[in-house]
Amino acid sequence: MNTRVLGADLEVSAIGLGCMGFSHAYGAPTEKSEAIRSIRAAYDMGYTLFDTAETYGTAADPHENEKLVGEALKDIRDHVQIVTKFGTRFDETSTAVNKPLIPDSRPETIRASVEGSLRRLGTDHIDLYFQHRMDPGVEPETVAQVMADLIREGKITHWGVSEANGDYLRRAHAVCPVTAVQNRYSMMARWHEALFPVLEELNVGFVAFSPMANGLLTGAYGEGARFDAKLDYRSAMPQFTPEAVEQNRALLALLRDLAERKHATPAQISLAWMLCKKPYIVPIPGSRKVERMRENSGAAEVVLSREEVETIDKTLDATPMSAVFGGTQTLPR
């Protein structure tokens, strides 16, 4: 697979693997040995960027995903880039399938988090350490100073902010250069495009999560799709409601038409669109199926010209579509 550079010098595969779904949010967890085989298969295909977080787990083991990723990559550690995150915990009093997040980026919390992540991942450093959500109770300069200290200590090599805005990014970057933001981005969720000029000014990369609108843009989930109301976040997402099937018919038809013209699949077009839009965008689709990982990796070979990308953007602007999941609710600490 081709590579891209995030920030000043973090070289990664053009497409990364979001590992959350093996343990969290997309139904029952994948059996451990199968998950490890799938992650290694992704590496064999050319994926080198693997994304997890300290909160991706189960009720029985809230940190399961980091342990899984660490075990899967332990003997190829020097050939991959591990991404994990700090700064949130779930509101365990909630009965919702998608429990609200409570941000906590106090320096002492970050210190405890990084030690826990290093231990669970079985590594001596984290390649890209994201603040999972901005904490209104902690100034960005304070967080950035902790990141600078962790870099100096060798515990992390690069850092970033997830769901960042321009003001926060500028303030944090002034203290310790930010390598990337990790924000929701897809053909249905384009509100962070307003951040692109700031990223280009500061030389900050963009890691796109949910690049296929939680799977909708693959075209695999049509009328009658059902999700586990206790374990699968998609059961509560607006793009998967019965009425959304009709609302998104034109969007999915557009993707199928583009895919046919480019001898690709709708999923590959969804990814190629953002890859060809900006050289600093790295999508991290999450899949548990090896065949889907292989399909996604093929998106790096689909070429869309600047004119084709601009035409797609204009068509998307005029295409009716349903509401799309915009993120987990965040509560005050």
Side-chain angles (χ1 to χ4, degrees), residues 39 43 203:
I39 292 171
Y43 172 75
N203 190 26

Side-chain angles (χ1 to χ4, degrees), residues 36 39 52 64-77 82 119-123:
I36 289 173
I39 292 171
T52 182
E64 180 179 315
N65 201 243
E66 282 189 327
K67 296 175 184 176
L68 174 67
V69 170
E71 184 167 346
L73 302 176
K74 61 184 178 182
D75 62 332
I76 51 171
R77 177 65 187 94
I82 293 178
R119 183 176 62 255
R120 289 185 292 269
L121 289 164
T123 185

